[in-house]
Amino acid sequence: MIERTFEWRISDAAVPYETAVREMEARVAAIGDAGAPELVWLLEHPPLYTAGTSAQASDLLTPDRFPVYRTGRGGQFTYHGPGQRVAYVMLDLKRRGPDLRQFVADLEAWVIAALARFNVTGERREGRVGIWVDRGAGREDKIAAIGVRVRRWVSYHGVSINVEPELSHFDGIVPCGIDAAGPDGARYGVTSLVDLGHPVTMTDLDVALRDAFDEVFGEIADAA
């Protein structure tokens, strides 16, 4: 058991992106400077696009559709909006293990384990960030995105999982730089739990994420 305080936070109302970044940065500083509790923050955003450090301008197909935020997380363009669960993960990697590659692998494993609770097989793909679902007949759809940043070995940003977002909102970008037509005739798209035929609620996913977290990151002592 990891002996440190830890907090789960769930925001019921949509959180503006600027507010979320401001609060994340404050908590990251507090964890690094004063040993504040680590935090996983579960929320939704209003419709928006974010551009990671590797984003290409040509991948923003409809720049006037939703607000666009430049962010310091890794990755390219992604969409956030209602019906998508965003999990911002603020962990002290100095104490857990200062290995960024392993941390990203653990985030992937966490999402995969949570999806498995709904009989959804999420998979990693070499050269493609995020978690993918094989739809058969050469089609693979992305169900979760991953983008992180680390400051003084405290993580922030995190993962987003599609529960029931408006999938057409992804049409305004090339998600994470992955074109719809891949090599050898492969086809790439975006999906959600509901699109896959699983009537999962946001609360259902929150429970699955919390249960799966302990499996991957180890048991923690909750903050009072």
Side-chain angles (χ1 to χ4, degrees), residues 41-123:
W41 186 11
L42 305 178
L43 55 84
E44 293 173 83
H45 284 307
L48 59 93
Y49 298 130
T50 64
T53 54
S54 301
Q56 303 293 320
S58 59
D59 287 342
L60 181 60
L61 305 178
T62 54
D64 298 325
R65 187 173 190 180
F66 298 125
V68 179
Y69 294 93
R70 300 284 165 179
T71 177
R73 63 157 175 80
Q76 302 185 47
F77 278 102
T78 193
Y79 166 77
H80 294 312
Q84 181 192 74
R85 178 52 92 211
V86 176
Y88 287 135
V89 183
M90 287 151 268
L91 301 183
D92 183 352
L93 302 184
K94 229 178 11 243
R95 299 179 65 183
R96 289 178 175 269
D99 185 333
L100 185 55
R101 187 182 298 273
Q102 183 59 53
F103 175 60
V104 172
D106 287 344
L107 289 176
E108 293 170 337
W110 178 38
V111 173
I112 289 169
L115 293 174
R117 283 156 166 77
F118 307 109
N119 295 315
V120 172
T121 302
E123 299 176 323

Side-chain angles (χ1 to χ4, degrees), residues 142-163:
K142 190 172 190 175
I143 194 169
I146 297 174
V148 299
R149 188 173 183 181
V150 173
R151 180 175 296 171
R152 294 169 55 196
W153 287 112
V154 179
S155 68
Y156 58 123
H157 297 281
V159 307
S160 58
I161 303 171
N162 297 330
V163 178

Side-chain angles (χ1 to χ4, degrees), residues 171-204:
D171 295 344
I173 57 173
V174 178
C176 296
I178 305 298
D179 292 323
D184 302 322
R187 292 175 294 127
Y188 304 135
V190 180
T191 191
S192 69
L193 286 162
V194 171
D195 180 56
L196 291 170
H198 301 275
V200 175
T201 68
M202 203 67 73
T203 299
D204 294 334

Side-chain angles (χ1 to χ4, degrees), residues 24 31 89 114 144 221:
M24 276 195 290
I31 293 171
V89 183

